[in-house]
Amino acid sequence: MSKLSVEDQLASIQKLRASGGDEQDAATKLKVYLQQKNNLVVARAADLARDLDLRALLPDLAAAFQRFLDSPEKSSSSTKNDTSAKSDPQCWAKNALSKALHHLGCEDAGLFLRGMHTHQFEPVWGGQSDVAGTLRANCAHALVDCHELTHHATLVHLLDLVADKDKAVRAEVIRAIAAAGGDGATLLLRLRALTSAGEEPEIIGHCYAGVLALEGVSAVPFIARFLEDQNDYSAEAALALGETRTPEALEALLACLRPPADSADRRSLRPQSYLEPDFAVALLTGIALTRHATAIDTLIEMVATESNYAEPALEALATANFGGEVKDRLTAVMAKIDNTRIDRTYQRVFPR
């Protein structure tokens, strides 16, 4: 096997994938490929083992993962926990192996904890970049399913990555905390939502979604309070509420469109000047995402009356990707109005 070129080994793995042959034969061949030094060959073998659900290869996958984590080479500029890029550039092998191990049910918490704390710096223009973010995220999700750890211990380990420098890792660890579930996870997500200053709105959006997933409609008032500031975090809150598709979430979103309680006419919409333009789009998109009849009627009425919210309403309806009935209603509405501004938006978001 070692005499074959890397290209020949990759071609052989691809042929094995296409053949759809006997699982035992595939496992025997992939076991050999998992022992190779080339990281791309090992990555392709791990991907195929995962796709074929070859649980018999768990020991071989774990051994390969351990081998790449134990790479002895160190670059002169690496820090204490950095692994070298020499044996596994771009973390191709470690990424594929971590995904395969998780998919196939590996519960070796120690192995995944090592992956969670792995950093791999490779040269980029002007310096170095850590390419092990995906690996850390993969291992965070895998750790949640390691039943040898207590729930408390799992959350403690996940917290190590909440402040990771990689935005994608922070997003995934928030999702992993939500997946861990329980009162501890709920409290951590609520706390992170309340201390959002300096964090990317997208990350906090995962906190909102996690709280709603864990607590259900009882969390709607908590998330709805973040709508008030009409900033990027508010936009994430609107989208998270919309994704729940609950009447309670819809009511909280519609409340943002109503005049204050002391207004003479509570039936009318708040003026366009009340809502920040970007927030208006997110708010109406959240309303559309609930997919309730009331939501659809409200948005179409905004278009039909040529309100100041007509354009973001059209964008929201397009984002929600409704079926033919809604599109037919919009077509009928557009045929009755003569408004260049609204028509231009309609043509853009619903191209023929």
Side-chain angles (χ1 to χ4, degrees), residues 29-47 49 56-72 83-84 87-88 91-101 104 106 108 111-112 114-115 118 120 135 139:
K29 293 177 179 177
L30 288 176
K31 183 173 183 176
V32 176
Y33 288 119
L34 289 170
Q35 297 170 359
Q36 303 306 302
K37 292 183 178 180
N38 184 274
N39 67 326
L40 186 54
V41 169
V42 173
R44 295 285 176 81
D47 285 342
L57 287 178
L58 267 174
D60 305 280
L61 290 161
F65 191 43
Q66 187 75 58
R67 187 174 75 250
F68 281 102
L69 287 172
D70 287 340
S71 175
T83 60
S84 171
S87 65
D88 187 21
C91 286
W92 284 333
K94 292 190 287 291
N95 287 343
L97 288 163
S98 60
K99 288 177 65 176
L101 286 166
L104 295 174
C106 174
D108 188 339
L111 201 57
F112 292 126
R114 285 199 62 191
T118 294
Q120 182 164 307
L135 172 63
C139 291

Side-chain angles (χ1 to χ4, degrees), residues 249-322:
L250 175 59
E251 177 56 30
L253 294 168
L254 290 175
C256 293
L257 293 172
R258 301 187 187 119
D262 57 357
S263 170
D265 186 2
R266 287 281 288 163
R267 294 171 299 174
S268 62
L269 297 176
R270 282 178 166 173
Q272 174 78 2
S273 59
Y274 175 80
L275 296 181
E276 294 294 331
D278 289 341
F279 175 64
V281 173
L283 175 66
L284 298 189
T285 299
I287 290 172
L289 289 174
T290 67
R291 309 190 81 82
H292 283 257
T294 300
I296 298 171
D297 292 343
T298 299
L299 295 171
I300 292 180
E301 181 67 15
M302 290 177 179
V303 179
T305 58
E306 302 181 46
S307 78
N308 289 330
Y309 295 107
E311 290 173 88
L314 283 168
E315 294 190 27
L317 288 165
T319 300
N321 194 28
F322 290 105

Side-chain angles (χ1 to χ4, degrees), residues 42-55:
V42 173
R44 295 285 176 81
D47 285 342
L48 185 53
R50 182 194 70 215
D51 293 343
L52 294 179
D53 206 32
L54 299 177
R55 297 178 185 273

Side-chain angles (χ1 to χ4, degrees), residues 144-161:
V144 173
D145 293 325
C146 290
H147 297 103
E148 68 181 73
L149 294 178
T150 65
H151 183 256
H152 174 80
T154 298
L155 291 179
V156 168
H157 288 303
L158 291 176
L159 275 176
D160 287 341
L161 297 187

Side-chain angles (χ1 to χ4, degrees), residues 183 188 191 250:
D183 292 341
L188 288 174
L191 177 62
L250 175 59

